[in-house]
Amino acid sequence: GAGVSQTPSNKVTEKGKYVELRCDPISGHTALYWYRQSLGQGPEFLIYFQGTGAADDSGLPNDRFFAVRPEGSVSTLKIQRTERGDSAVYLCASRRGGGQGDTQYFGPGTRLTVL
Amino acid sequence: GIQVEQSPPDLILQEGANSTLRCNFSDSVNNLQWFHQNPWGQLINLFYIPSGTKQNGRLSATTVATERYSLLYISSSQTTDSGVYFCAVAYNQGGKLIFGQGTELSVKP
């Protein structure tokens, strides 16, 4: 596609439920990143994939958060037993990689609200 | 970890005015990007500028890597320039971006 796409754009769930957020990177981009942005703050890093593997997952806040990228393209961020503090905008970014470009391009985000 | 500080935190301008936004960072970096987050929340790439100077229309940016700061210049501001401007850095070219707190710009007609 022309840009990074994320679905859904909005997700409202109840405390304790499980959610999945999807990211479609720019076609041909090998690197994919997840960030989280709370109100009034800059985005904070969660996890980085190079191809299918997680190259850096140091930003995942706890073991309720997990992300996969099984075919090296689409990625899913999974949150178990959601808490009200998980409410935020979840942003995905992709980068061409392979020494051909270092700019990260961001999607529109998924706004998650945990009631 | 690396610290990124942006100033000023807020800025109100009259349409047509010029402005300079600053980004200071606490360690050597190999990646620096400037973004504009529009009122709908979309992060729009402005510049990839780990060093040197670039210009794109009314916007330009300069990064002095040895002194650990970057400047974003906006000339002849327009109401559509309103939003939050973020600076983000990374230790290595492919690594995670660390964002500053942003500068919220409001351009009045």
Side-chain angles (χ1 to χ4, degrees):
Chain A
V4 179
S5 62
Q6 294 186 243
T7 54
S9 55
N10 283 284
K11 176 70 176 179
V12 179
T13 190
E14 293 180 343
K15 179 176 180 296
K17 299 290 188 183
Y18 168 82
V19 297
E20 290 189 350
L21 312 179
R22 176 187 169 108
C23 172
D24 281 86
I26 294 172
S27 179
H29 281 198
T30 61
L32 185 147
Y33 306 77
W34 284 98
Y35 294 82
R36 177 168 72 171
Q37 186 174 22
S38 300
L39 193 63
Q41 305 291 319
E44 294 180 323
F45 170 77
L46 295 176
I47 186 169
Y48 156 42
F49 288 91
Q50 182 58 53
T52 60
D56 182 355
D57 65 358
S58 62
L60 294 178
N62 52 59
D63 61 6
R64 295 186 298 105
F65 288 74
F66 189 70
V68 295
R69 196 185 184 202
E71 298 179 357
S73 179
V74 170
S75 177
T76 304
L77 178 66
K78 308 180 181 191
I79 310 174
Q80 299 177 322
R81 305 182 304 279
T82 51
E83 300 178 356
R84 293 195 178 88
D86 299 334
S87 296
V89 176
Y90 288 81
L91 296 164
C92 177
S94 72
R95 177 178 61 85
R96 187 182 305 275
Q100 296 182 52
D102 301 305
T103 303
Q104 294 185 28
Y105 297 91
F106 281 76
T110 293
R111 182 176 298 278
L112 175 66
T113 303
V114 181
L115 301 177
Chain B
I2 193 166
Q3 303 297 313
V4 182
E5 294 182 359
Q6 292 186 243
S7 60
D10 303 281
L11 185 59
I12 300 174
L13 297 176
Q14 205 64 37
E15 198 169 28
N18 303 329
S19 63
T20 301
L21 282 56
R22 187 176 181 101
C23 172
N24 292 334
F25 42 96
S26 61
D27 205 347
S28 298
V29 298
N30 286 297
N31 181 352
L32 189 146
Q33 292 184 235
W34 281 98
F35 297 91
H36 175 213
Q37 190 163 45
N38 66 21
W40 296 270
Q42 176 72 54
L43 276 168
I44 300 164
N45 286 71
L46 297 177
F47 295 101
Y48 170 80
I49 187 165
S51 63
T53 297
K54 291 185 178 179
Q55 180 157 7
N56 184 3
R58 296 182 296 104
L59 303 182
S60 63
T62 295
T63 298
V64 183
T66 53
E67 297 188 19
R68 300 179 184 170
Y69 73 88
S70 183
L71 302 174
L72 177 68
Y73 305 97
I74 305 174
S75 65
S76 303
S77 58
Q78 301 176 358
T79 57
T80 52
D81 295 333
S82 296
V84 183
Y85 289 79
F86 286 105
C87 166
V89 303
Y91 282 114
N92 53 54
Q93 291 166 324
K96 62 187 179 188
L97 287 174
I98 299 162
F99 284 76
Q101 293 296 298
T103 291
E104 184 163 10
L105 175 65
S106 179
V107 181
K108 304 296 186 185

